[in-house]
Amino acid sequence: PPRSTLFPYTTLFRSVTINLQSTMADCLSSTGDSKKAVQMYDEIIPVAERVFGENDRNVLICKHYKAIALRRLGNLDESLELLDRIHEKEVSMQGENDGMTLMNKYQIGMVHYERKEFTKALEIWEEVEQRRKHVLGHTHPSTIRVRNKIAECKAKLSKQAN
C-alpha cells in the first residue's frame, strides 16, 4: 500500500510503543529503580517529541513521570524545574482544573515537602484540594490523598513551631 495509507498505523504503533515504554519506566521507578527509569525516559522523551511534538499530552505525561523518578532519586531541583515547565504548558493547554494539571501541581507540592519547604507545600496542596473537591468531589481518592498530605504538612509545621 502507498505510504499515505500506512501513516496512521505507523503513528498508532509509535504511540503504543512510546506509552508502553513509559509505563515500563514508571514501573521501574515505582519499584525502586528510579535511576533506570530516568535513563529510559531520557531515551523515550526525545523520540516522543519528534513523533508527537513537545506539547503532546503523552509527551507531557512522560515528562511528569520522569520528574517523579527524579524526585525519588533526590534530584529535587531538576524535578521541580521539569514539573514547573510541564505545569505551565498544562495550564495553558488544559486549564487549572484539568486532572493532569492537578496531578502535576500535587507533585510540585511533593518536591517542596521533601525540600522541607512545608509552608509552600501546604499552600500548593490546599489549592489542589479545593480544585479537586470542585472537580472530583469530597470523597474521591485523589481529594482524600491531598487532604492527608495537608494534615502531614500541618503536623510538620506544628512540630517546627515547638
Side-chain angles (χ1 to χ4, degrees), residues 59-85:
V59 173
L60 295 176
I61 290 169
C62 281
K63 290 179 179 182
H64 171 87
Y65 285 112
K66 176 185 177 184
I68 292 172
L70 287 166
R71 179 181 56 79
R72 288 176 175 152
L73 284 172
N75 297 348
L76 301 180
D77 292 341
E78 189 177 353
S79 176
L80 185 58
E81 183 182 316
L82 183 55
L83 288 166
D84 282 340
R85 284 196 318 262

Side-chain angles (χ1 to χ4, degrees), residues 14-45:
R14 285 181 178 160
S15 175
V16 169
T17 302
I18 289 167
N19 288 335
L20 179 59
Q21 289 173 321
S22 178
T23 301
M24 289 169 50
D26 184 44
C27 288
L28 285 168
S29 178
S30 297
T31 58
D33 198 351
S34 294
K35 186 176 182 179
K36 179 67 175 165
V38 169
Q39 291 170 345
M40 283 187 74
Y41 285 123
D42 285 342
E43 294 172 12
I44 297 165
I45 291 169

Side-chain angles (χ1 to χ4, degrees), residues 48-137:
E49 286 178 331
R50 277 195 311 276
V51 173
F52 304 111
E54 68 179 37
N55 294 329
D56 179 77
R57 191 71 181 239
N58 291 316
V59 173
L60 295 176
I61 290 169
C62 281
K63 290 179 179 182
H64 171 87
Y65 285 112
K66 176 185 177 184
I68 292 172
L70 287 166
R71 179 181 56 79
R72 288 176 175 152
L73 284 172
N75 297 348
L76 301 180
D77 292 341
E78 189 177 353
S79 176
L80 185 58
E81 183 182 316
L82 183 55
L83 288 166
D84 282 340
R85 284 196 318 262
I86 297 164
H87 184 70
E88 187 178 302
K89 287 182 182 188
E90 285 286 347
V91 168
S92 70
M93 293 181 341
Q94 306 296 329
E96 291 278 354
N97 291 331
D98 174 71
M100 191 65 205
T101 304
L102 291 172
M103 283 192 337
N104 194 64
K105 186 112 180 183
Y106 175 87
Q107 288 299 326
I108 291 170
M110 289 292 294
V111 173
H112 285 290
Y113 183 85
E114 290 189 17
R115 291 169 111 180
K116 302 194 181 336
E117 298 168 349
F118 302 122
T119 303
K120 183 69 176 171
L122 180 62
E123 175 187 308
I124 290 167
W125 285 337
E126 285 176 337
E127 179 186 341
V128 171
E129 180 194 26
Q130 291 306 310
R131 292 183 184 281
R132 282 184 175 173
K133 281 194 299 191
H134 175 73
V135 174
L136 302 171

